[in-house]
Amino acid sequence: MAYMDGITCICDNGRTLEDHRPIVGDDVISGIYRKAASLRGKRVLHVNSTYQSGGVAEMILSLVPLMNNVGIDTRWNILNGDGEFFAITKNFHNALQGQAVAFSDEEKDLYLQTNEAFSGQMAIDHDLVVIHDPQPLPLIRFYRKTQPWVWRCHVDLSNPNPALWEFLKGFVLDYDRMVISHEHYRRRGMPMEQWICRPAIDPLSEKNRDLSEAETAALLAKYGVPTDKPLVTQISRFDKWKDPLGVVEVFSEVKRHVDCRLVLCGSMAPDDPEGWAIYRQVEDAARPLIDAGDVILITAEDHLLVNALQRASAVILQKSLREGFGLTVTEGLWKGRPVIASRVGGIPLQIEDGVTGFLLDPTDTEGFAWRVRQVLENPDLGERLGRAGKEHVRQHFLITRLLSDYLDMLNAELTIQEA
């Protein structure tokens, strides 16, 4: 459960660390308790720009209660911004992932003014501050810094727009640590530690918990998703970097050989003003297939629906052009389903080609279509990939590992501060 109380997100999902013991085992749980022992009573603040829609918010939503559960007083605040602010920061996001975008002085001023105004609503007296992504990055300039600040960047920084990176770097240099998801995202010339911390999913969340066949069937029926044909799905925001138009092209090729149905499901995040424009482009491109009932577009914010769709899928796609990490891949693998995805960003950390799924160049439409056909026509292959993928996630990409990593970071930063 999460709701907003002013700028603070109140999240208590009722799950404890002990609830994860049957999934991850005794050694993992006891190791977390040992790491947390010397940190009890410490105070941590997370700040980002939305409490819903997207992997970052979902990770914080699960991480905060677990940090509190092991004795660390952890809070989560949400930056308040208007539509113009989020249009600017969406462009920042695109530029960090390599798009050529121009920014006016007025836009940069609004970016700073929004952060300055927000700083007046929020006192910071915590032992560690974690700022997520570019939206609240300048906050550090508007406080008297008395504790370590960490910038956690969740996007692909391998080839950022040089002008924007130079602008943002001025703020990043004020931080004590920069946290990234992949070795390739390291930036030259940064004096602080650039620490790799890979994202994770909560196996007990509504999006990932076990569902019965009856629950799955009821959810699909509620949203008008027939199960008379194999389902091919992509779960992602309607975002150009997720290439939903390319997914429609892949499906059109597959459909010529195998009778199946495509579902594109992506909620509309408050901090992503481009979503509806991309949705309309996809709707126009897929109109004949939509009218024939072979393509279904869904924009509902329903984690149980996502869970059901992934479990019911014969194939899960993630045809991203850029990807910071790709938690939708993690989710699909956790459901034991075969995932076919682009060889970009953090996805190859999750998929070993031919072992836990299939990887392709994101522009290889024919290759994607061939792999989808291969899995649809060989269900045993899909089952083998699914089993291996789920075990890989269990070992490397669950929320307990993320909690352990954050405890390591808190221990390290406080040790440096006390030295």
Side-chain angles (χ1 to χ4, degrees):
M1 177 188 71
Y3 64 91
M4 291 298 299
D5 181 11
I7 63 171
T8 301
C9 184
I10 310 299
C11 49
D12 181 6
N13 54 32
R15 298 188 291 276
T16 68
L17 184 59
E18 288 295 325
D19 294 332
H20 293 79
R21 187 183 295 272
I23 299 171
V24 301
D26 294 347
D27 290 347
V28 170
I29 300 301
S30 61
I32 289 172
Y33 280 128
R34 286 195 300 273
K35 288 183 180 183
S38 63
L39 296 170
R40 291 194 181 99
K42 297 298 184 183
R43 304 179 68 223
V44 173
L45 176 66
H46 292 269
V47 182
N48 80 321
S49 63
T50 179
Y51 74 100
Q52 60 186 353
S53 302
V56 176
E58 289 169 23
M59 274 190 291
I60 303 173
L61 179 62
S62 291
L63 182 64
V64 167
L66 287 179
M67 291 184 76
N68 281 298
N69 182 232
V70 297
I72 299 164
D73 184 358
T74 307
R75 296 291 179 266
W76 175 16
N77 285 352
I78 311 297
L79 183 149
N80 294 319
D82 60 17
E84 188 177 0
F85 171 80
F86 286 126
I88 293 167
T89 57
K90 178 62 178 182
N91 280 337
F92 282 11
H93 175 92
N94 291 337
L96 285 175
Q97 298 202 141
Q99 182 175 321
V101 179
F103 301 98
S104 68
D105 289 341
E106 291 76 16
E107 288 174 320
K108 293 176 182 177
D109 287 345
L110 178 60
Y111 175 59
L112 294 176
Q113 289 164 10
T114 300
N115 274 272
E116 183 176 17
F118 180 65
S119 70
Q121 305 173 42
M122 180 177 68
I124 294 182
D125 57 359
H126 302 74
D127 297 293
L128 180 74
V129 180
V130 184
I131 301 295
H132 294 264
D133 283 332
Q135 295 92 334
L137 176 62
L139 276 176
I140 195 168
R141 289 283 176 87
F142 305 109
Y143 289 91
R144 182 175 177 274
K145 184 171 171 286
T146 60
Q147 66 282 95
W149 284 56
V150 171
W151 186 48
R152 186 9 171 155
C153 183
H154 296 271
V155 302
D156 180 347
L157 288 178
S158 58
N159 186 35
N161 175 284
L164 178 68
W165 174 247
E166 193 62 27
F167 171 65
L168 295 181
K169 185 174 73 171
F171 306 112
V172 180
L173 289 171
D174 292 344
Y175 283 75
D176 299 275
R177 181 183 295 242
M178 179 173 161
V179 181
I180 51 180
S181 299
H182 198 295
E183 181 70 30
H184 295 164
Y185 303 164
R186 291 186 186 276
R187 303 304 305 158
R188 290 183 180 179
M190 305 303 290
M192 78 287 288
E193 181 176 0
Q194 298 181 63
W195 185 58
I196 296 171
C197 177
R198 285 158 187 160
I201 62 169
D202 184 347
L204 299 179
S205 71
E206 292 289 84
K207 188 178 280 188
N208 296 303
R209 69 171 176 84
D210 288 340
L211 291 180
S212 68
E213 290 185 7
E215 285 179 295
T216 298
L219 284 159
L220 296 181
K222 175 182 175 181
Y223 285 94
V225 181
T227 56
D228 55 322
K229 302 175 184 181
L231 293 181
V232 178
T233 66
Q234 177 161 299
I235 311 293
S236 282
R237 291 184 185 185
F238 286 88
D239 182 312
K240 60 188 159 194
W241 300 108
K242 311 299 184 182
D243 197 20
L245 291 170
V247 173
V248 173
E249 289 184 37
V250 169
F251 176 74
S252 297
E253 177 61 25
V254 173
K255 181 70 177 173
R256 292 175 53 232
H257 304 276
V258 182
D259 190 17
C260 53
R261 179 174 285 112
L262 173 67
V263 179
L264 290 172
C265 179
S267 60
M268 296 297 176
D271 61 347
D272 184 1
E274 291 182 342
W276 283 112
I278 301 296
Y279 175 90
R280 286 188 288 272
Q281 291 176 20
V282 176
E283 190 176 41
D284 290 344
R287 175 50 60 194
L289 291 164
I290 293 171
D291 291 342
D294 291 324
V295 171
I296 297 173
L297 307 182
I298 301 175
T299 61
E301 176 73 26
D302 188 335
H303 289 182
L304 282 175
L305 169 64
V306 170
N307 193 338
L309 282 171
Q310 289 169 332
R311 292 184 185 279
S313 295
V315 177
I316 293 173
L317 294 179
Q318 192 59 56
K319 195 181 176 296
S320 299
L321 304 176
R322 288 292 185 107
E323 192 67 71
F325 185 74
L327 282 174
T328 52
V329 171
T330 326
E331 294 160 6
L333 294 172
W334 180 246
K335 311 307 191 305
R337 307 315 302 143
V339 181
I340 302 172
S342 300
R343 189 182 286 105
V344 297
I347 294 176
L349 299 172
Q350 307 178 63
I351 293 181
E352 181 181 353
D353 192 31
V355 178
T356 61
F358 287 122
L359 291 172
L360 296 111
D361 184 281
T363 62
D364 187 2
T365 299
E366 291 184 2
F368 265 92
W370 180 73
R371 284 302 193 188
V372 173
R373 286 181 57 195
Q374 187 181 22
V375 172
L376 290 176
E377 293 168 352
N378 298 275
D380 290 346
L381 171 62
E383 291 299 320
R384 175 175 64 78
L385 295 172
R387 285 193 300 272
K390 180 167 186 172
E391 180 58 22
H392 187 58
V393 171
R394 189 185 71 81
Q395 293 183 22
H396 300 286
F397 301 116
L398 295 184
I399 194 70
T400 43
R401 194 231 72 229
L402 185 64
L403 172 61
S404 181
D405 287 352
Y406 265 82
L407 296 178
D408 286 340
M409 180 173 67
L410 182 54
N411 264 313
E413 288 299 335
L414 294 182
T415 299
I416 291 170
Q417 188 180 38
E418 292 166 3

